[in-house]
Amino acid sequence: MKVLRIRKLVTLLCSTMLVCSVCIPSPAEAAPAAPAEKSANDKKPSAKQNNAANGMKAVFAERKDLFDKVSALTGIPWYYLAAVDQYERTMNLAKKRRAPDGVVAIYFNELQWGGMLNPDHDDTNAQSIALFGGIGRDGSGDGAADRTNPLDRLFTMAMFLLNKGSAQDDLRIGLWDYYQNTRSVERIEQFAKIYAKYDTLDLHQHCFVMPVGADYSYRSTWGASRGWGGYRIHEGTDLFAGYGVPVRSATYGVVEVMGWNPYGGWRIGIRDLNNVYHYYAHLSGFNKKEVRQGEIVEPGQVIGWVGSSGYGKPGTSGKFPPHLHYGLYRDNGLTDWSFDPYPHLRKWEREERMRRRK
């Protein structure tokens, strides 16, 4: 009876909806950054860029509408559904998995949806799907449990999580049952915390990691060899600046790690909504009044200051020129791997200079 009531509600709603180890810097690295200059890259946003931004806002609005509707049906908070969907989106990217069509990224393979022994891999009959142990559900109220339908996929995930209940602890158990991975559960809860605080999906803005008016210099140093502590590659970009230059969060995210590391000295790790880990190392100190482990930070928020800490026991400093080591790591569900932050830094720096001139 409960399922029938839910289906009737779905049908009613859908009728109104459109379906370092660090090298000593060369003179070029150590030189102060030149004053901001106008260049071909530093121009006003084009009509194409503005249209893309407006297009994403429309996508966010449509996606949020779906989350709100399924939340009303199931009692699962919208931001929890949003967090699951965003985690799935990052996994589609990291695993090079073909993303489902539509505004919802939640992915089910044919066997999950229709059942292991179901001879019809494109089955949309909810009764036969249930008979063969599949989890596919009809969320749109059109009589078909269609794996290509965004609302059906979202509703199916919601109903799977509801097997354990709608309280936070129950949802955590439901996530574990589905992913069988503590790391996945942690990421989704981090995302949910961010969405819940700001009550919007439009949280993918970035800024440069230092004030663009400060004296700093940097070049691409990712992948260079390093020797202190054993042979390894340099997994980041070094931004050279004076002691005490503010270091800022580049993104909305959760402070995942904060403290001392023998290699990175005083360092902070922030996890963003793209499931990218931002690593800030060799700080002279933290902004302890505003930044704590487990708390949310915003783009432009000062998290610490440039220093030269690291390469030893806690408090070791001065073994190399002051700079910020900044790294980016993507999560594939099991581990993180490094990728070059330099192109992103250049893009965020250019965008911030453009914003300052408006």
Side-chain angles (χ1 to χ4, degrees):
M1 292 300 295
K2 181 178 179 181
V3 172
L4 290 175
R5 288 197 299 272
I6 289 176
R7 284 183 176 171
K8 289 179 181 178
L9 285 170
V10 174
T11 304
L12 179 62
L13 287 171
C14 289
S15 65
T16 64
M17 179 185 66
L18 291 177
V19 185
C20 250
S21 188
V22 177
C23 293
I24 299 299
S26 66
E29 286 180 89
E37 298 178 358
K38 292 184 179 180
S39 69
N41 292 327
D42 291 343
K43 53 188 177 182
K44 292 182 179 179
S46 65
K48 184 177 181 180
Q49 290 172 320
N50 287 330
N51 289 339
N54 292 334
M56 281 309 303
K57 289 184 181 298
V59 170
F60 286 142
E62 184 179 2
R63 196 175 290 159
K64 177 68 159 55
D65 186 55
L66 286 179
F67 297 149
D68 286 339
K69 286 178 167 61
V70 174
S71 176
L73 292 171
T74 63
I76 299 176
W78 79 265
Y79 49 82
Y80 227 90
L81 298 171
V84 174
D85 178 63
Q86 183 60 21
Y87 180 74
E88 289 280 306
R89 186 167 286 105
T90 68
M91 289 298 100
N92 291 338
L93 177 63
K95 296 180 179 180
K96 295 180 171 52
R97 192 168 65 188
R98 183 178 178 181
D101 295 331
V103 295
V104 172
I106 294 172
Y107 173 87
F108 299 101
N109 62 41
E110 295 171 346
L111 297 182
Q112 282 178 298
W113 189 267
M116 291 289 291
L117 300 178
N118 194 332
D120 182 2
H121 290 176
D122 296 318
D123 194 358
T124 61
N125 185 296
Q127 292 182 337
S128 60
I129 287 174
L131 178 65
F132 286 105
I135 65 173
R137 306 291 286 268
D138 173 20
S140 62
D142 62 358
D146 186 354
R147 191 165 63 97
T148 66
N149 184 309
L151 186 52
D152 286 1
R153 293 198 307 273
L154 181 61
F155 184 72
T156 294
M157 176 61 78
M159 294 305 291
F160 182 92
L161 296 180
L162 276 182
N163 285 332
K164 302 298 181 181
S166 60
Q168 185 170 348
D169 287 344
D170 297 330
L171 292 173
R172 186 180 294 117
I173 295 171
L175 289 172
W176 166 254
D177 283 350
Y178 184 78
Y179 290 102
Q180 298 288 302
N181 185 347
T182 301
R183 187 186 190 95
S184 300
V185 178
E186 290 175 349
R187 297 290 176 269
I188 290 169
E189 290 190 322
Q190 287 172 330
F191 295 174
K193 185 175 182 179
I194 298 172
Y195 286 135
K197 178 174 180 178
Y198 296 102
D199 196 33
T200 180
L201 295 172
D202 193 2
L203 297 171
H204 293 272
Q205 300 90 339
H206 291 86
C207 76
F208 194 60
V209 294
M210 292 180 183
V212 293
D215 288 334
Y216 60 83
S217 65
Y218 66 102
R219 63 181 179 85
S220 180
T221 54
W222 184 84
S225 62
R226 290 294 181 263
W228 193 88
Y231 176 78
R232 54 202 171 90
I233 69 166
H234 188 241
E235 295 184 344
T237 293
D238 292 335
L239 298 93
F240 290 88
Y243 285 103
V245 170
V247 172
R248 309 187 302 172
S249 173
T251 182
Y252 290 97
V254 174
V255 178
E256 199 168 277
V257 173
M258 184 175 177
W260 181 264
N261 179 289
Y263 296 92
W266 299 117
R267 55 67 162 109
I268 292 178
I270 296 171
R271 179 77 55 179
D272 74 12
L273 285 167
N274 291 320
N275 210 354
V276 172
Y277 181 76
H278 300 244
Y279 178 70
Y280 304 78
H282 306 314
L283 303 175
S284 62
F286 305 124
N287 181 8
K288 294 181 179 179
K289 291 183 179 180
E290 300 180 15
V291 181
R292 296 177 180 83
Q293 190 166 330
E295 294 298 312
I296 296 171
V297 292
E298 304 175 357
Q301 183 174 347
V302 175
I303 58 175
W305 296 272
V306 171
S308 61
S309 61
Y311 288 17
K313 62 184 181 181
T316 302
S317 183
K319 290 192 173 183
F320 40 78
H323 69 283
L324 169 68
H325 170 97
Y326 177 72
L328 291 175
Y329 297 79
R330 189 171 294 284
D331 183 4
N332 66 1
L334 298 175
T335 187
D336 291 309
W337 78 91
S338 169
F339 63 97
D340 189 359
Y342 180 77
H344 301 275
L345 288 168
R346 293 288 291 174
K347 178 176 183 290
W348 300 337
E349 181 185 33
R350 182 171 63 252
E351 291 173 345
E352 187 155 349
R353 292 192 187 282
M354 290 166 58
R355 288 194 295 268
R356 282 163 60 94
R357 285 201 296 272
K358 285 184 179 181

